Amino acid sequence: MCNTCGCNVTDGNRHLLAPAAKGNPVLGGNPAKILNGLLENNDRQARLNRARLDELGVLTINLMSSPGSGKTSLLESTIRRLDGRLRLGVIEGDLETENDADRIRALGIPAHQITTGTACHLDAHLIQGGLDRLDLGQLDILFIENVGNLVCPASFDLGHHRNVTLLSVTEGDDKPAKYPVMFRAADLMLISKTDLLPHLGEFSPERAEGCLRNLASRAPALRLSARTGEGMDDWIAWLSAEHAAYRKLLPARQTLIPRVETEGRKIHALGPEITFRPLAPAG
Amino acid sequence: MHELSLCQNLIDQLTGLTHRNEAIAVARIEVQVGVLSGVEAQLLQSAFTLSKLGTVAETAELVTTVIAPRVVCLSCRAEAEVPPNNLCCPACDSQVTELVRGHELILARVELIRDELSKLEHTNHV
């Protein structure tokens, strides 16, 4: 999460801070999550989002990375490569502009742009608004292109099924070591812009993957270039396999949950210990 | 900062706990902050200093305990404290480990102030 700005309050969850929300239902339920109150509200909405997506069988992938590591280019290339074999939709998150959604719509794919203003991540309430604006029954896969940021987005469950984190070769190959919370959340790491590798001798894909493995992550690490198409087949194969696995789970009322979210559910088991002290005598 | 929002929720919860336990104020709270929780203990302290003003926690002391990452190795079963960006098993180098501590954000203890002598020795768990 972001430690420098007001990023935890977005247009999507602002209403939870209003006085009417003060009687927070978390209060009596799971006391150990007390401090996590705001995230608990987010997590509850995330569960609703996921149930809604599962009802319609829409595999939802959260794309996260630094700004400029090629998320939108990857989506454009993916759309072209799939060529209608899977029906795609996109929710775009940016602080300002419709630019990214326009790029997706230009390829005939439904896209909804969320502009977050100053908030540097998407949350489950913002996504709920985005889901309302897409015809989910017509989709196989929904991509959520999160706000470019390696800190905050990792901490918010959106109700999606898989986290994909991009690391472009124009960045440092030690990013997974520098941003462990983000890269630990990845169900797949994509090393992007590999066509630039010949010009960037200091970036080692092996070292980047080594940093990921040091986080005890078993997530696959694929290398690709959206521009040249190199490695795109592996990405499409991963996507198709995840979609097939997801669809298989649905009849049994099961679903996919990002690995890091399943882990979070194991903690917060006990409530706080309450003790008392007397009012200090005056004087 | 988002720590402020978290504190606002914490204050709401403390207000509820204070009333439910017939106390008049909060004396002290202890919060465990995992290094991999995405929350900075120091920023939580600053945010709490601001958030508690004019509430039941106005004079409360916040004690944060930073919890270092701890893994259990699924290969050799060793358990060890590890740095946040190296969660491999220090005993056998295995990358197949499970994080057991260090991702938590837990309100562990709350000490409330009561005005009645009869309730002095009362201690319970909510």
Side-chain angles (χ1 to χ4, degrees):
Chain A
M1 277 185 275
C2 184
N3 293 327
T4 53
C5 69
C7 71
N8 213 40
V9 182
T10 67
D11 285 341
N13 68 17
R14 199 179 305 279
H15 65 281
L16 296 174
L17 299 177
K22 289 271 168 78
N24 194 326
V26 177
L27 197 67
N30 184 357
K33 271 212 136 183
I34 278 177
L35 187 59
N36 238 346
L38 198 107
L39 286 179
E40 177 52 32
N41 282 323
N42 180 79
D43 292 350
R44 194 177 307 121
Q45 183 60 53
R47 288 191 288 274
L48 292 173
N49 291 352
R50 192 173 286 114
R52 183 173 173 187
L53 292 161
D54 292 345
E55 197 64 40
L56 297 164
V58 186
L59 176 70
T60 302
I61 310 245
N62 181 26
L63 289 179
M64 298 184 286
S65 76
S66 310
S69 57
K71 294 185 292 299
T72 315
S73 299
L74 172 70
L75 287 177
E76 289 173 317
S77 181
T78 303
I79 290 164
R80 290 199 186 92
R81 203 153 272 252
L82 279 170
D83 195 25
R85 275 180 285 137
L86 289 167
R87 298 166 300 165
L88 307 180
V90 178
I91 291 177
E92 291 282 351
D94 280 298
L95 271 61
E96 296 293 346
T97 84
E98 286 265 331
N99 294 355
D100 285 358
D102 286 343
R103 281 169 64 182
I104 301 299
R105 286 188 205 112
L107 297 170
I109 296 297
H112 174 68
Q113 179 80 47
I114 296 173
T115 48
T116 59
T118 55
C120 47
H121 65 274
L122 295 173
D123 64 29
H125 293 91
L126 288 171
I127 292 302
Q128 177 198 20
L131 296 181
D132 288 343
R133 285 165 184 83
L134 290 168
D135 189 355
L136 296 175
Q138 298 303 310
L139 302 182
D140 295 311
I141 297 180
L142 173 65
F143 287 104
I144 297 171
E145 185 182 331
N146 218 309
V147 178
N149 177 349
L150 282 180
V151 186
C152 320
S155 299
F156 292 84
D157 186 6
L158 307 176
H160 58 290
H161 302 104
R162 285 288 178 247
N163 284 320
V164 173
T165 304
L166 279 75
L167 171 59
S168 72
V169 303
T170 56
E171 303 170 55
D173 52 22
D174 57 350
K175 279 269 172 83
K178 286 179 173 168
Y179 297 88
V181 177
M182 168 59 74
F183 282 90
R184 231 170 60 74
D187 295 300
L188 168 70
M189 180 170 85
L190 290 179
I191 297 175
S192 61
K193 306 191 186 182
T194 53
D195 54 302
L196 296 176
L197 267 179
H199 310 286
L200 297 160
E202 61 274 31
F203 186 98
S204 156
E206 291 76 20
R207 209 154 40 219
E209 195 177 333
C211 289
L212 180 70
R213 297 294 161 238
N214 283 344
L215 301 178
S217 169
R218 265 108 58 208
L222 302 178
R223 305 170 192 185
L224 55 78
S225 162
R227 183 188 284 170
T228 65
E230 177 197 359
M232 282 297 290
D233 287 344
D234 291 341
W235 155 243
I236 297 291
W238 180 87
L239 209 51
S240 306
E242 290 295 317
H243 180 254
Y246 171 65
R247 283 292 172 97
K248 251 188 207 164
L249 289 174
L250 292 179
R253 312 294 290 173
Q254 292 179 312
T255 186
L256 293 176
I257 295 174
R259 187 185 70 100
V260 77
E261 301 296 347
T262 60
E263 183 184 68
R265 278 153 213 235
K266 292 182 196 159
I267 56 173
H268 308 301
L270 294 168
E273 182 190 351
I274 312 280
T275 56
F276 300 95
R277 77 163 71 156
L279 184 64
Chain B
M1 67 180 92
H2 78 278
E3 277 83 357
L4 261 181
S5 321
L6 290 174
C7 277
Q8 187 53 54
N9 279 266
L10 172 60
I11 296 289
D12 292 346
Q13 309 293 353
L14 291 175
T15 306
L17 282 175
T18 304
H19 292 155
R20 267 191 292 159
N21 289 285
E22 296 168 25
I24 55 168
V26 183
R28 188 172 181 277
I29 61 171
E30 286 181 33
V31 175
Q32 297 176 352
V33 183
V35 168
L36 287 170
S37 71
V39 168
E40 276 301 322
Q42 217 176 332
L43 289 169
L44 197 64
Q45 277 291 0
S46 327
F48 187 69
T49 308
L50 291 173
S51 309
K52 68 181 186 178
L53 298 177
T55 74
V56 291
E58 174 138 13
T59 58
E61 176 193 7
L62 165 65
V63 179
T64 50
T65 313
V66 175
I67 309 290
R70 205 173 168 81
V71 295
V72 167
C73 177
L74 301 185
S75 306
C76 75
R77 307 309 300 180
E79 188 179 325
E81 192 175 307
V82 291
N85 55 13
N86 192 344
L87 308 180
C88 301
C89 174
C92 75
D93 275 344
S94 168
Q95 293 173 335
V96 189
T97 64
E98 193 178 286
L99 190 67
V100 289
R101 297 297 305 270
H103 49 0
E104 63 272 78
L105 189 57
I106 294 176
L107 178 62
R109 204 158 285 126
V110 177
E111 190 177 353
L112 300 171
I113 300 174
R114 270 182 172 171
D115 197 10
E116 292 165 75
L117 287 170
S118 62
K119 286 172 183 168
L120 276 184
E121 290 171 2
H122 182 82
T123 297
N124 70 355
H125 288 259
V126 174

